[in-house]
């Protein structure tokens, strides 16, 4: 005998907008609070395009703390802000179960893209790579947890190097 199958009551909205809060480790400038927003368009069930922007105020470098009076940047130049356009892919779409009768739609995704970071008085071409998880307690509401690396070249002390700025954040988004 066939059993009755209930189809998921997920809306077909493909746009997602939200905010996030977290920590970013700006290389040589410590760990700082980052806030931002995101807008995503889900092209297919697997792929999505995301626009994201964030901002953090950085602290002193260890050199500045140890030297006492040396200041490498002005207060305005310490502001770290970025925006990027990324392509994401849901590598593990599925469900997470809470108890016997409750499940949440989830997706673990990889994401990568390009953008611009403004820091230390200059605009820098930036590549970002990351991993995230989306949990949907409601069909129009999602909770995100992401880890991303913002990679760019910087020559703050006269020697050019590639900086890796690791960001971890959580956020909420709304589908429409």
């Amino acid at each position: 005998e066939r059993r009755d199958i209930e189809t998921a009551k997920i809306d077909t909205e493909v746009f997602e907008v939200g905010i996030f809060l977290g920590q970013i480790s700006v290389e040589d400038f410590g760990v700082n609070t980052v806030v931002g927003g995101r807008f995503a368009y889900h092209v297919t069930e697997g792929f999505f395009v995301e626009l994201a922007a964030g901002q953090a105020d950085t602290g002193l470098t260890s050199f500045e703390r140890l030297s006492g009076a040396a200041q490498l940047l002005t207060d305005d130049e310490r502001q770290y802000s970025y925006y990027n356009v990324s392509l994401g892919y849901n590598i593990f779409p599925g469900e997470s179960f809470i108890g016997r009768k409750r499940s949440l739609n989830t997706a673990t995704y990889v994401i990568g893209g390009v953008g611009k970071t403004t820091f230390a008085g200059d605009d820098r071409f930036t590549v970002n790579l990351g991993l995230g998880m989306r949990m949907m307690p409601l069909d129009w509401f999602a909770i995100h947890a992401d880890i991303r690396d913002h990679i760019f070249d910087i020559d703050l002390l006269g020697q050019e190097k590639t900086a890796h700025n690791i960001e971890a954040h959580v956020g909420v988004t709304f589908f429409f």
Side-chain angles (χ1 to χ4, degrees):
E1 182 174 324
R2 290 187 166 225
R3 64 184 177 117
D4 291 331
I5 297 175
E6 242 180 77
T7 58
K9 295 177 181 146
I10 299 173
D11 289 341
T12 57
E13 285 87 5
V14 294
F15 294 101
E16 187 178 11
V17 65
I19 57 173
F20 60 83
L21 174 70
Q23 297 285 299
I24 185 166
S25 175
V26 179
E27 192 168 326
D28 298 328
F29 286 84
V31 177
N32 308 279
T33 300
V34 63
V35 296
R38 65 167 38 117
F39 176 81
Y41 171 66
H42 294 264
V43 181
T44 66
E45 191 173 314
F47 287 98
F48 61 94
V49 177
E50 180 184 89
L51 302 170
Q55 180 177 341
D57 291 323
T58 63
L60 299 174
T61 65
S62 57
F63 171 76
E64 290 173 308
R65 281 192 294 270
L66 294 173
S67 69
Q71 188 170 354
L72 294 176
L73 302 174
T74 66
D75 288 341
D76 289 339
E77 292 174 329
R78 288 184 191 283
Q79 188 175 56
Y80 180 100
S81 61
Y82 68 86
Y83 69 85
N84 53 50
V85 177
S86 303
L87 178 65
Y89 179 70
N90 297 318
I91 55 174
F92 298 123
E95 293 181 317
S96 295
F97 294 91
I98 302 171
R100 298 182 99 155
K101 295 186 179 194
R102 179 86 170 125
S103 67
L104 300 176
N105 288 319
T106 61
T108 300
Y109 54 88
V110 292
I111 192 162
V114 296
K116 180 181 90 167
T117 299
T118 302
F119 180 62
D122 204 1
D123 294 334
R124 303 170 194 291
F125 174 78
T126 305
V127 173
N128 76 83
L129 302 168
L131 179 69
M133 183 170 190
R134 177 187 317 107
M135 296 175 289
M136 296 181 62
L138 302 170
D139 62 349
W140 52 268
F141 176 72
I143 300 167
H144 289 256
D146 286 65
I147 296 176
R148 301 199 185 180
D149 186 4
H150 302 268
I151 307 164
F152 57 80
D153 292 332
I154 189 168
D155 58 352
L156 187 60
L157 299 173
Q159 181 178 353
E160 189 164 309
K161 69 176 186 174
T162 301
H164 291 268
N165 305 294
I166 308 295
E167 174 184 1
H169 65 253
V170 294
V172 295
T173 57
F174 303 92
F175 283 86
F176 64 96

